[in-house]
Each structure stands twice: as C-alpha cells, then as structure tokens.
Amino acid sequence: MPDHECLRRLRACAQALAGGAREASAEAVVRRVFAIQAQDATAADLGIRVRGRDITAQAIRTAHATSRGFVPAFLSRCRRSARQTGAMDPHRS
C-alpha cells in the first residue's frame, strides 16, 4: 500500500500540478483535469495557468470565447440548501 507522500505525489501528477506535466493550451488543461474548481473567475484562470506551460490570461479569454469544449459554469449551493430544508423549492408540492 502506498504511503501518504506517494499518494500526494500521484494526486498532484494526475491533476497536472507536479511531475513535469504541463499542457500547452488552456483547452488541453481542461481536457486533462476535466474541471477547475474555484471561487471566482480569476482563481479559475490561475488554476488553468498553473497547470500549463506559458498560458497567458489572453489565451484563456480566447479559449472562453472560441472553444466549444471550454465552458465556464458558476454553480451555487443555494439550491441544494433550499432543497434540504424544503424552503423556497419551486418543485416541492
């Protein structure tokens, strides 16, 4: 069974944060890791840039505008919380 340090390295490599795995474009980063979770757009952009090789902020903006496989989504927990409590759920009968 791998130790904690080995697991940490494996996870970092899988998420393109270590091991020399740097993608050449924003699209390639998103394809590799499937999604970037962040609290705001700036943090999401940084999450892409840290996994890439010389990816600029302009390259990320261009990917947002032109790539069909690059879809920003802003999800909220409010709906889940409302459903858990039953409050303000339009689908509740």
Side-chain angles (χ1 to χ4, degrees):
M1 182 167 185
D3 63 11
H4 291 292
E5 183 62 23
C6 180
L7 290 174
R8 187 190 64 77
R9 281 193 305 270
L10 288 171
R11 180 178 286 172
C13 287
Q15 294 177 6
L17 292 169
R22 294 289 185 256
E23 301 295 339
S25 69
E27 294 92 339
V29 168
V30 174
R31 269 194 306 271
R32 179 181 174 119
V33 299
F34 183 71
I36 301 290
Q37 187 279 328
Q39 298 301 314
D40 58 35
T42 301
D45 290 356
L46 290 174
I48 291 169
R49 293 179 73 184
V50 73
R51 291 169 170 88
R53 187 174 49 251
D54 301 323
I55 298 175
T56 64
Q58 181 59 47
I60 295 172
R61 284 191 296 273
T62 299
H64 277 288
T66 62
S67 177
R68 292 184 61 189
F70 198 91
V71 180
F74 299 96
L75 308 174
S76 173
R77 291 186 187 188
C78 294
R79 173 110 169 96
R80 180 173 171 228
S81 295
R83 181 172 290 154
Q84 285 178 341
T85 62
M88 301 183 311
D89 189 343
H91 301 289
R92 184 171 179 235
S93 32

